[in-house]
Amino acid sequence: MTNQPEAVPDAQSGEVPTWRDRAVERSLRGARAKAMSRSDRFIDAAMEILSETGRTDFTVQELIERSKTSLRSFYQHFSGKEELLLALFEEIITTTSEEWSEEVEQVDALTSLRLLLDRIYGQAAGPGGAGINRALSVFHLHLAESRPADYARVLAPLRVLIHEQVEKGIAEKTIRADLDPDILATIMLQTLVGAAHMHALGAQPNGKPIDSDRLWDFCLGGLKA
Amino acid sequence: MTNQPEAVPDAQSGEVPTWRDRAVERSLRGARAKAMSRSDRFIDAAMEILSETGRTDFTVQELIERSKTSLRSFYQHFSGKEELLLALFEEIITTTSEEWSEEVEQVDALTSLRLLLDRIYGQAAGPGGAGINRALSVFHLHLAESRPADYARVLAPLRVLIHEQVEKGIAEKTIRADLDPDILATIMLQTLVGAAHMHALGAQPNGKPIDSDRLWDFCLGGLKA
DNA sequence: CCAGGGTGGAAGTCACGTTCTCAAAAACGC
DNA sequence: GCGTTTTTGAGAACGTGACTTCCACCCTGG
């Protein structure tokens, strides 16, 4: 029931939800440790580890060494390792969803969805991108298992985004109207996220990754009017 | 956070025992502990726990108590807990794949695929079905993360099965031929397995589970010629 | 100025997978 | 049957890693 780490000091200042604007981008360029609040240091260090190793099984010890803080302090800010990861995860999803939301604002529904597919499924590139991607997938799975409700909550922004595009497409008459848009959006999300997981983990059942064009071809069939 | 939104409402339709049911039954049948090999005792006990709790985080201690064996013996037969689960998982996939393979032998491709969708995604009915379902999903995820190669290997029979149906459908001209059947099969598998995970874990992003008809509707769009 | 709370440091607790010890029990070869 | 070898049971022991506790410093705000 404790969805939030209650001990976070900045929580009372009111700007809780925006953990860090541009968390991904900025936190990868370091050298500002001094200026940052404690919580930021932890988040930052975790992000570093994730992008370097792509694994979520780093030890808390490792985290505090890297962030140059103490165990004592860590547990003052987060109720546990999982809370830290959850905060990170949520932040990334929220941030990127907002970003993508702007990107697709002016475009027609099918193009938007295609773009989202590329973003969700295809972004194994970039600095630390693959690592973060893998880590995100891993944590997706952890979270889906251990706290399905939180998982659903955290993923909501993305689902809403897709949902909006589906509605848009229905209005444009390019997307089928015989399925509940909510259901359609959920199926799309699941398909994309599932594919992204396998892609990021390199667990393609047939050995070679599916390229996004094919995946889109498939989805398009299920989507269009 | 009681993660139990899974009093699956639409679970009624199938009184046909699902693959998980059969697997459970096969493995639980009879009091033949004495006659069983040690390995079987472990496998058997694990299957029991899985079907009762749906969790893979039982302790090895619990396992050996239930199987009335010893720790010493356990590590004689399995290199670790993960190996045991892997064996179990592989066994279930192999067995059920063979079973389903027979089921779809005489049917047209689209009907076959629909049937497979129901089997894979479908209702966690029957004794221990939900538990096994959940446990399998959880282990799917663990495995995909920790040993992608093993994951792909273990899932292969299922992928092959779907692949065969896709080929059949192409021959029947009911399934599109413009996509590589192998790719198509992989996408289908991913979609179904991904949906099954969310379903079993009760992590539907929109709160309510997708019923299999809708999911089929979507897939059909991506499949048909 | 001083009380209270954040902080680092280090030691301690706990759970759990895994390994080790040792003697009893089975299994096996003859 | 009878030695020998292998397997087993019972449980102690070890390693690791999350989390806690204790304590002695800072700080800072009232």
Side-chain angles (χ1 to χ4, degrees):
Chain A
M1 326 313 137
T2 79
N3 299 341
Q4 305 287 351
E6 69 296 338
V8 181
D10 11 351
Q12 58 201 15
S13 68
E15 46 103 11
V16 193
T18 35
W19 254 99
R20 242 45 66 196
D21 313 304
R22 306 270 175 269
V24 192
E25 293 280 307
R26 294 198 323 187
S27 62
L28 288 179
R29 326 182 199 285
R32 308 149 288 142
K34 348 237 156 158
M36 294 193 305
S37 84
R38 281 293 185 280
S39 309
D40 283 333
R41 305 250 302 256
F42 294 120
I43 294 276
D44 200 57
M47 182 69 80
E48 270 185 41
I49 296 177
L50 257 47
S51 58
E52 283 171 24
T53 68
R55 326 199 91 256
T56 60
D57 61 357
F58 58 86
T59 69
V60 176
Q61 196 59 36
E62 187 180 343
L63 178 76
I64 66 166
E65 275 161 19
R66 201 185 272 253
S67 61
K68 302 227 177 4
T69 55
S70 70
L71 209 49
R72 175 72 185 71
S73 198
F74 174 73
Y75 285 102
Q76 184 102 22
H77 290 272
F78 298 93
S79 71
K81 184 182 168 183
E82 189 142 313
E83 291 297 338
L84 170 80
L85 288 172
L86 184 57
L88 201 51
F89 188 64
E90 189 166 3
E91 165 66 13
I92 292 179
I93 297 282
T94 313
T95 306
T96 55
S97 289
E98 280 167 15
E99 222 164 85
W100 297 344
S101 176
E102 289 169 20
E103 281 192 81
V104 300
E105 213 157 72
Q106 317 282 18
V107 217
D108 67 282
L110 290 181
T111 308
S112 298
L113 286 168
R114 174 63 214 257
L115 188 140
L116 290 177
L117 181 148
D118 278 334
R119 291 285 184 279
I120 295 174
Y121 178 71
Q123 64 164 197
I132 288 285
N133 237 2
R134 201 202 119 91
L136 276 181
S137 291
V138 169
F139 192 62
H140 257 272
L141 306 181
H142 277 327
L143 196 58
E145 174 194 345
S146 64
R147 311 160 106 194
D150 281 322
Y151 177 74
R153 173 174 59 77
V154 167
L155 222 51
L158 210 44
R159 188 176 57 80
V160 167
L161 184 53
I162 293 180
H163 188 273
E164 286 167 1
Q165 304 317 306
V166 170
E167 295 277 18
K168 189 162 76 182
I170 292 176
E172 289 170 3
K173 301 206 187 310
T174 50
I175 288 185
R176 63 198 296 182
D178 64 324
L179 281 183
D180 176 17
D182 198 37
I183 298 278
L184 202 47
T186 302
I187 293 179
M188 258 308 270
L189 178 61
Q190 273 183 8
T191 300
L192 298 190
V193 168
H197 287 168
M198 295 306 104
H199 190 242
L201 299 175
Q204 307 296 337
N206 65 346
K208 57 189 171 200
I210 298 167
D211 79 283
S212 62
D213 292 337
R214 307 293 161 73
L215 184 58
W216 175 244
D217 252 17
F218 179 84
C219 291
L220 192 55
L223 286 171
K224 66 184 174 199
Chain B
M1 285 315 145
T2 50
N3 36 16
Q4 301 285 5
E6 51 185 280
V8 184
D10 56 328
Q12 271 59 2
S13 48
E15 70 290 350
V16 181
T18 70
W19 59 297
R20 343 244 179 187
D21 294 331
R22 301 201 187 186
V24 175
E25 196 180 317
R26 264 175 14 88
S27 179
L28 289 181
R29 181 171 33 211
R32 7 156 223 148
K34 337 255 167 123
M36 291 193 308
S37 80
R38 291 292 140 158
S39 312
D40 284 336
R41 303 250 304 256
F42 294 119
I43 294 275
D44 201 57
M47 182 71 81
E48 270 185 42
I49 296 177
L50 257 46
S51 58
E52 283 170 24
T53 68
R55 326 200 90 256
T56 59
D57 60 358
F58 57 86
T59 67
V60 176
Q61 196 60 34
E62 188 180 344
L63 177 75
I64 66 164
E65 272 161 22
R66 201 185 272 254
S67 60
K68 300 219 177 16
T69 55
S70 69
L71 214 46
R72 173 73 183 69
S73 198
F74 175 73
Y75 285 101
Q76 182 107 13
H77 291 271
F78 298 92
S79 72
K81 185 182 169 185
E82 187 141 314
E83 293 296 336
L84 171 80
L85 289 171
L86 183 56
L88 199 52
F89 188 63
E90 191 165 1
E91 159 76 5
I92 293 179
I93 296 284
T94 312
T95 306
T96 55
S97 289
E98 281 167 14
E99 218 164 89
W100 297 345
S101 177
E102 288 168 21
E103 281 193 82
V104 300
E105 212 157 73
Q106 317 283 17
V107 218
D108 67 282
L110 290 181
T111 309
S112 298
L113 285 168
R114 175 62 214 258
L115 188 140
L116 290 177
L117 181 148
D118 278 335
R119 292 286 185 276
I120 295 175
Y121 177 70
Q123 57 290 9
I132 287 286
N133 237 356
R134 202 200 118 90
L136 276 181
S137 291
V138 169
F139 193 61
H140 258 273
L141 306 182
H142 276 326
L143 197 57
E145 175 194 343
S146 64
R147 311 161 98 187
D150 281 323
Y151 178 73
R153 173 174 58 78
V154 168
L155 221 51
L158 208 46
R159 187 177 56 81
V160 167
L161 183 53
I162 293 180
H163 187 273
E164 286 166 1
Q165 304 316 305
V166 170
E167 295 276 19
K168 188 161 76 182
I170 292 176
E172 289 170 3
K173 301 210 186 307
T174 50
I175 289 185
R176 62 197 296 184
D178 63 324
L179 281 184
D180 176 16
D182 196 38
I183 299 279
L184 201 46
T186 302
I187 294 178
M188 259 308 270
L189 178 61
Q190 272 182 8
T191 300
L192 298 190
V193 167
H197 288 167
M198 296 306 103
H199 188 244
L201 298 175
Q204 306 296 337
N206 65 344
K208 56 190 170 201
I210 299 168
D211 79 281
S212 61
D213 292 337
R214 306 294 162 71
L215 184 58
W216 175 244
D217 252 18
F218 179 85
C219 290
L220 192 55
L223 286 172
K224 69 185 172 199

